[in-house]
Amino acid sequence: MESAQIPLGKTVAYASLVLLCIPIFKLLTILIRPYFSPLRELRGPPGGSWITGHINDMLKSEKDRAECHLLWEKEYGHVYVYKSLLNGDRLTTTDPKALNHILANPMIYYKPAHLRLTVGQLIGEGLIFAEGAAHKRQRRVMNPSFSPGHIKEMNELFLMKALELRDALSAHLGANPSETVNIIPFIARCTLDIIGLAGFNTDFNTVKNTNGEKKDENPGNIAKQENAGSTSDLADAFAKSFRTDQGYAIMQILLAWIPPLRSVLFLFDSTTRAAEDAQATMRRIGKQLVEERKR
């Protein structure tokens, strides 16, 4: 008795139908899920497109997307929900206790795929990028450097840079009394100076040189900075990691959701290329600093 054979054309048609149904089912799941999510009980901005959510509101913000979040926080409180791409819910909180709980439990709270992609591009696959067992392993290795005793030894360093930051902000406000100050670049430079002193015993003096008017006259520091590369280049690269004025990263979400697109869309995504350049600069100068410390 001969077995029945399915024609090749029907086999291809069935396979194509299955392949087509899978992404459609996934898309419908993404679109419908918010209606069954407990997040729907929280307050948040009304409306939002099924395709772009509230991204258009962020793009229309006068200054940057951080300002848009500040306006939402004033209206809806320190915990609210807004819509992202494809009607997805995004929970936002500025409550210190909630943030401490989330950051202290990386084994429970995982970063979204697009955020992991962005963090990896900006600062590499280090402690902030790692999750789960990898984060636990890296944290165990680095714990001695962040022990209470070691942190206490650096209190004087933190205080010194905090005072420099205060002076830089005072000088900037004195020269621009009516200007609203974007504190992010100042914080980025202060953080970079602290990293340089605590990790490499090198003072980049980027807080003092915010406007590029002052330079360190100490010969030892000048030599170290020359060996490490351009301080201004390092400060500019580091500052890109703190930027909030680049609009909503739609491209980053697409690259995270569809990995095969990364090799193609990378050519058209200026934000991704800028992040790659910044990371390459930080990696190059970081290696030079490590080599300097080994001598």
Side-chain angles (χ1 to χ4, degrees):
M1 185 175 179
E2 296 181 0
S3 60
Q5 294 183 351
I6 301 177
L8 179 61
K10 288 187 176 181
T11 303
V12 174
Y14 290 150
S16 300
L17 182 61
V18 172
L19 293 176
L20 182 62
C21 289
I22 291 175
I24 292 177
F25 176 77
K26 186 174 182 180
L27 178 61
L28 289 175
T29 302
I30 294 173
L31 293 174
I32 296 174
R33 184 185 299 149
Y35 294 103
F36 299 92
S37 170
L39 296 179
R40 70 184 187 278
E41 304 295 337
L42 296 176
R43 300 176 64 197
S49 167
W50 271 46
I51 303 300
T52 60
H54 289 104
I55 293 177
N56 289 333
D57 295 335
M58 298 182 189
L59 296 177
K60 292 177 182 177
S61 180
E62 293 182 2
K63 293 184 179 179
D64 55 33
R65 61 188 178 193
E67 182 185 47
C68 188
H69 280 285
L70 288 174
L71 294 175
W72 285 340
E73 181 184 2
K74 289 180 181 178
E75 184 171 356
Y76 303 110
H78 59 265
V79 179
Y80 60 90
V81 174
Y82 69 93
K83 296 294 184 181
S84 182
L85 284 179
L86 299 180
N87 202 41
D89 287 327
R90 286 289 179 266
L91 173 65
T92 301
T93 179
T94 56
D95 181 79
K97 291 185 178 179
L99 292 173
N100 179 71
H101 172 72
I102 293 170
L103 295 175
N105 293 276
M107 301 290 289
I108 301 175
Y109 302 98
Y110 286 81
K111 303 176 185 67
H114 69 276
L115 180 59
R116 282 178 55 81
L117 178 64
T118 302
V119 170
Q121 288 175 336
L122 290 177
I123 59 176
E125 300 182 5
L127 184 63
I128 298 179
F129 175 90
E131 291 182 327
H135 181 276
K136 188 175 182 180
R137 182 175 60 255
Q138 292 190 24
R139 187 173 180 178
R140 183 171 60 250
V141 172
M142 298 184 66
N143 268 343
S145 299
F146 295 94
S147 64
H150 190 68
I151 295 295
K152 188 176 181 179
E153 294 176 359
M154 294 189 291
N155 282 346
E156 185 176 348
L157 185 159
F158 296 148
L159 178 60
M160 177 183 70
K161 285 301 172 182
L163 294 175
E164 288 184 7
L165 178 61
R166 178 203 62 185
D167 295 341
L169 286 169
S170 298
H172 185 83
L173 289 171
N176 308 276
S178 60
E179 178 183 332
T180 300
V181 179
N182 180 8
I183 199 172
I184 298 298
F186 290 91
I187 295 294
R189 289 174 176 270
C190 183
T191 303
L192 178 60
D193 283 357
I194 291 174
I195 291 174
L197 284 169
F200 304 100
N201 195 30
T202 299
D203 192 349
F204 298 120
N205 276 323
T206 58
V207 174
K208 289 184 177 179
N209 300 335
T210 299
N211 298 319
E213 297 174 354
K214 297 180 180 180
K215 293 185 178 180
D216 189 1
E217 300 298 334
N218 186 303
N221 280 342
I222 292 176
K224 289 180 180 180
Q225 290 176 6
E226 289 176 349
N227 290 336
S230 171
T231 301
S232 60
D233 288 346
L234 180 59
D236 291 342
F238 194 77
K240 289 180 181 178
S241 301
F242 289 80
R243 288 186 60 185
T244 63
D245 60 345
Q246 300 181 52
Y248 198 83
I250 296 178
M251 186 70 74
Q252 296 295 313
I253 295 178
L254 291 176
L255 294 176
W257 282 358
I258 313 174
L261 291 179
R262 297 176 188 176
S263 58
V264 178
L265 295 184
F266 173 81
L267 301 174
F268 306 97
D269 183 19
S270 58
T271 301
T272 301
R273 293 199 303 271
E276 292 287 347
D277 292 341
Q279 189 179 99
T281 299
M282 290 188 287
R283 188 182 298 110
R284 171 177 57 82
I285 297 177
K287 287 182 178 179
Q288 292 175 354
L289 287 169
V290 172
E291 291 298 324
E292 180 69 22
R293 288 296 304 273
K294 288 180 179 180
R295 295 176 184 175

